[in-house]
Amino acid sequence: MTTPVCADASTAAAATTGHRRYPSFSSYVRARGPVLLRTARSLTANPSDAEDLLQTALTKTYVAWERIEDHRALDGYVRRALVNTRTSQWRKRKVDEFACEELPEREAAPAPDPAEQQSLHDAMWRAVLRLPDRQRAMVVLRYYEDLSEVQTAELLGVSVGTVKSAVSRALGKLREDPELGPVR
């Protein structure tokens, strides 16, 4: 018997023979699959890899289904399987190096277009100006004036932790700024 190909990871586990042996597993996958897939997507950059990761974690969960005593804690079990599987994947990643007699010539990188650089600088500055006053001050002192967190905190009369958290929030806002979107 062949296993049918499924459209996504949330239905793939239910398509295996497990839906006959553990109907509660199939119900769990149908109910919690989308939530678990979002968790998997947060662990990988590629949606296809996230589906594969979730499928692997669900397979591990299926194998351990009888040993899991508290089925109310299944989400935690699957999330732990997701994280452990992802960690194992990047640990196993191997980079092959090959020795060669001659080093390849490096191609000269094209000089950046001054107009594009100025456009990026202007967009960044407009985004910084849209930040709240306190965050803007901290970003300017940290990144434009190149002050340390301690120096910035002393200058503004706040704690270092306040500087760290405010700068973190400001950088998050800058990352989400639509005007800076194409730069990423």
Side-chain angles (χ1 to χ4, degrees), residues 7-10 12 33 36-59 81-90 93:
D8 65 354
S10 62
L36 296 169
L37 183 57
R38 280 195 301 272
T39 302
R41 284 188 178 154
S42 71
L43 296 171
T44 64
N46 183 336
S48 297
D49 290 342
E51 290 179 0
D52 292 343
L53 178 63
L54 177 58
Q55 183 62 41
T56 303
L58 289 174
T59 301
L82 285 167
V83 170
N84 290 348
T85 302
R86 183 64 182 140
T87 302
S88 295
Q89 288 173 346
W90 65 258
R93 189 178 67 210

Side-chain angles (χ1 to χ4, degrees), residues 98-119:
F98 300 100
C100 59
E101 293 181 24
E102 293 182 32
L103 293 175
E105 293 290 327
R106 289 189 179 185
E107 294 182 22
D113 182 9
E116 286 182 25
Q117 283 184 318
Q118 186 61 45
S119 174

